Structure formats: C-alpha cells, structure tokens
Amino acid sequence: MTADRITLKGLRARGRHGVLPAERELGQEFVIDATLFLDTRPAADADDVTRTVHYGELAQDLTKIVEGEPVNLIETLAERLAELCLASEIVRAAEITVHKPSAPIPLPFDDVAVTILRSRA
C-alpha cells in the first residue's frame, strides 16, 4: 500500500440511518472521515487534478450516500462509503470513519464511531 493519502475529515451530512423508528423519521447529523490511499506522483508530476481524487467531488459524492437510502447500521453506511471511494481505479485502499454523535444513548458520551479499512483484492 502506498504511503500517499488524501484525507477528508469532519464532513457533515444529515441522514436517516439507525434501527429506531425515531432515527428514521427525524434523521440526524453524521460526520464522515475518509482517507484514501493512492499514488499521488502522477498528479503531482503533471500538476493535473484529473490524475488524482478531486476532494470536492469526493465530498459531494459521500454526502449523497449519507443523505440517501437509510440503513440500520453505521457499519453498512461505512461499507457503502468505502465502495464509493474504491470505485476510482487509482485508489488502492480507503479508511472510512462514520461518527454518530447524536446516537440514542441515554448516558453522557462524546461520540460513537465505526472505522473500517478496505482495499482492493
């Protein structure tokens, strides 16, 4: 795996994910961190954005998934986000963290998060 990374942290989007009816009905904010592992040399050598991952477009595409079809588990949401990242042939691996800071937990807490690392087979 290459040591080059593009990282997008703290992307906020509203979704209706969760197992409780209220989560589906009311929705809540999710926070996404995405780290993509790729070789950035071709883009740097050519100074060409088309040879890398455009992080603005990545943010929009990740947001569409969060705002899209609801799932029960943030693990499932993380898988969908990783699949999107790996759709680009230049991405060798993707680490995705889905934060659910408003999870329905009746105790004080800072955050609930699932982190996955997926790579090309």
Side-chain angles (χ1 to χ4, degrees):
M1 184 171 16
T2 179
D4 298 351
R5 294 182 288 266
I6 294 175
T7 301
L8 176 61
K9 291 183 93 174
L11 179 66
R12 299 180 188 288
R14 192 159 182 84
R16 298 179 178 275
H17 311 289
V19 296
L20 300 178
E23 293 179 292
R24 295 292 182 106
E25 183 180 328
L26 301 173
Q28 60 190 290
E29 182 179 70
F30 293 84
V31 182
I32 308 303
D33 300 329
T35 300
L36 310 183
F37 297 85
L38 67 157
D39 184 355
T40 62
R41 287 176 294 189
D45 290 346
D47 196 27
D48 184 355
V49 72
T50 65
R51 293 182 170 204
T52 188
V53 173
H54 189 301
Y55 49 79
E57 292 173 0
L58 174 66
Q60 290 177 349
D61 293 342
L62 293 170
T63 298
K64 287 178 188 174
I65 291 175
V66 175
E67 293 175 343
E69 179 185 349
V71 296
N72 289 330
L73 303 177
I74 58 176
E75 292 87 343
T76 306
L77 182 58
E79 284 288 342
R80 290 182 179 181
L81 297 170
E83 288 171 7
L84 168 79
C85 294
L86 289 171
S88 172
E89 291 183 11
I90 65 172
V91 175
R92 297 290 161 237
E95 181 178 87
I96 303 294
T97 301
V98 176
H99 301 266
K100 190 174 180 180
S102 298
I105 298 173
L107 299 165
F109 72 99
D110 289 332
D111 192 17
V112 171
V114 169
T115 300
I116 64 171
L117 176 62
R118 298 294 180 264
S119 60
R120 297 194 174 281

